[in-house]
Amino acid sequence: MKFLPPKEGFNKISALASKNIPFLFIISYDKSKIFVEPLLSLPKEIEFSFNSSFNNIGKKGYLAKYPINFNEYLSAFNRVIENIKAGNSYLFNLTFKTSISTNLELKEIFKYAKAPFKLY
């Protein structure tokens, strides 16, 4: 996958959209890199699914997650509420990295997942 710098990536998104060409875009969480390709030109290793159904992969999978503790979350949540009340913003996306452990490969998780939108 070829990632583009922000300006080049957003320009490519605009160009494809203005030509009504269906495309996939992926923007890193920090907006430092962007992947943009027309759907007909996607690399073979990229798979996506809309309105997917459950796929049984024939393997008993487990997934353990290790989120931040409640007090850390509550502290961050309260800061968000304070900033909303202060008028600094009306919309926040409060997220945290969460470590996981599983016996499944990424491709298996993709096939196993029941989600309306999936990307591998």
Side-chain angles (χ1 to χ4, degrees):
M1 277 177 38
K2 180 183 177 195
F3 285 91
L4 304 171
K7 185 174 182 178
E8 189 178 340
F10 286 118
N11 286 341
K12 188 171 181 180
I13 288 172
S14 294
L16 291 169
S18 68
K19 295 175 186 171
N20 290 320
I21 298 173
F23 59 93
L24 172 70
F25 70 92
I26 303 168
I27 302 174
S28 64
Y29 75 96
D30 62 358
K31 299 182 225 160
S32 66
K33 31 185 198 178
I34 300 174
F35 172 84
V36 186
E37 281 298 323
L39 293 184
L40 295 176
S41 303
L42 286 178
K44 291 182 181 186
E45 66 268 14
I46 294 179
E47 295 183 36
F48 63 91
S49 177
F50 301 135
N51 299 318
S52 67
S53 59
F54 176 79
N55 294 309
N56 188 345
I57 60 170
K59 181 177 182 179
K60 180 84 171 148
Y62 75 86
L63 175 72
K65 48 193 174 184
Y66 309 98
I68 64 168
N69 72 52
F70 180 76
N71 288 333
E72 282 181 83
Y73 178 83
L74 184 59
S75 174
F77 180 81
N78 287 334
R79 280 195 310 270
V80 166
I81 296 302
E82 289 170 17
N83 278 281
I84 290 172
K85 288 179 180 176
N88 296 329
S89 181
Y90 63 92
L91 178 66
F92 281 87
N93 183 8
L94 180 61
T95 60
F96 297 91
K97 290 182 180 181
T98 300
S99 297
I100 64 166
S101 65
T102 183
N103 65 330
L104 300 172
E105 299 291 324
L106 261 175
K107 184 75 171 218
E108 293 172 321
I109 293 171
F110 173 78
K111 291 188 180 292
Y112 193 73
K114 181 179 181 182
F117 306 103
K118 299 190 300 186
L119 173 66
Y120 172 81

